[in-house]
């Protein structure tokens, strides 16, 4: 399967394929008549890359993770650590956003309350 075919069939941006090729992780990819040819294992790896990208891994971390994955089971602990770190960081971000929402809701509540109090203290204001 060519790069264009893989990109279209699996809905993988061409930039991801270019990056994948630049990392030298394409042992199974063969360059035939000037075009890269992808097999099923490459597509599985690309799926993993896209998953890592979707969960917020940087390109550098994706490359590290993929190199570890290709080394085999002996790197499982390091890959698990990377995933656990990302999970922890994501939870920290979620909690930070929750605090932001609480503050936003408080400010909105306070403004609405002030508006109601102002309307009650000035009966000539239409409600």
């Amino acid at each position: 399967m060519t790069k264009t075919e893989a990109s279209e069939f699996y809905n993988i941006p061409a930039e991801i394929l270019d990056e994948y090729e630049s990392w030298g992780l394409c042992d199974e990819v063969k360059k035939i008549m000037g075009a890269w040819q992808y097999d099923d294992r490459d597509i599985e790896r690309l799926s993993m890359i896209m998953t890592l990208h979707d969960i917020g891994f940087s390109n550098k971390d994706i490359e590290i993770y993929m190199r570890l994955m290709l080394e085999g089971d002996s790197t499982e602990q390091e890959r698990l650590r990377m995933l656990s770190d990302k999970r922890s960081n994501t939870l920290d971000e979620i909690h930070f956003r929750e605090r932001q929402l609480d503050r936003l809701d408080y400010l909105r509540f306070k403004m609405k309350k002030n508006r109601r109090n102002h309307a009650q203290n000035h009966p000539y204001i239409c409600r």
Side-chain angles (χ1 to χ4, degrees):
M1 178 177 305
T2 67
K3 183 189 296 188
T4 302
E5 290 168 340
S7 177
E8 289 173 3
F9 189 79
Y10 293 101
N11 198 27
I12 300 171
E15 304 83 49
I16 298 287
L17 297 175
D18 292 340
E19 193 153 2
Y20 178 65
E21 291 172 6
S22 76
W23 291 341
L25 302 175
C26 308
D27 291 338
E28 304 301 319
V29 177
K30 306 214 179 351
K31 193 168 186 176
I32 300 170
M33 295 175 55
W36 288 100
Q37 294 294 314
Y38 292 86
D39 66 13
D40 290 341
R41 289 183 63 202
D42 294 307
I43 300 303
E44 287 176 23
R45 288 184 196 124
L46 288 165
S47 177
M48 175 60 77
I49 288 169
M50 293 189 63
T51 298
L52 295 170
H53 183 269
D54 288 347
I55 62 175
F57 271 56
S58 68
N59 288 346
K60 180 181 176 188
D61 287 338
I62 292 171
E63 182 177 3
I64 291 168
Y65 187 95
M66 293 304 295
R67 288 188 185 285
L68 289 169
M69 190 174 89
L70 290 175
E71 288 179 28
D73 292 342
S74 65
T75 65
E76 187 174 283
Q77 284 302 109
E78 179 63 16
R79 287 180 284 135
L80 184 57
R81 184 201 56 77
M82 290 178 76
L83 293 171
S84 295
D85 288 350
K86 186 62 179 168
R87 185 180 192 284
S88 178
N89 291 338
T90 300
L91 281 172
D92 289 346
E93 289 175 30
I94 289 169
H95 294 144
F96 175 74
R97 295 292 183 195
E98 286 174 336
R99 288 190 302 276
Q100 282 183 320
L101 283 172
D102 288 345
R103 290 180 184 128
L104 282 166
D105 289 343
Y106 172 75
L107 292 173
R108 292 175 64 226
F109 167 79
K110 194 172 173 183
M111 288 176 80
K112 288 177 183 179
K113 183 178 175 186
N114 286 342
R115 191 178 333 139
R116 277 194 309 271
N117 287 342
H118 183 71
Q120 289 173 351
N121 293 334
H122 298 89
Y124 54 85
I125 296 177
C126 296
R127 296 183 211 168

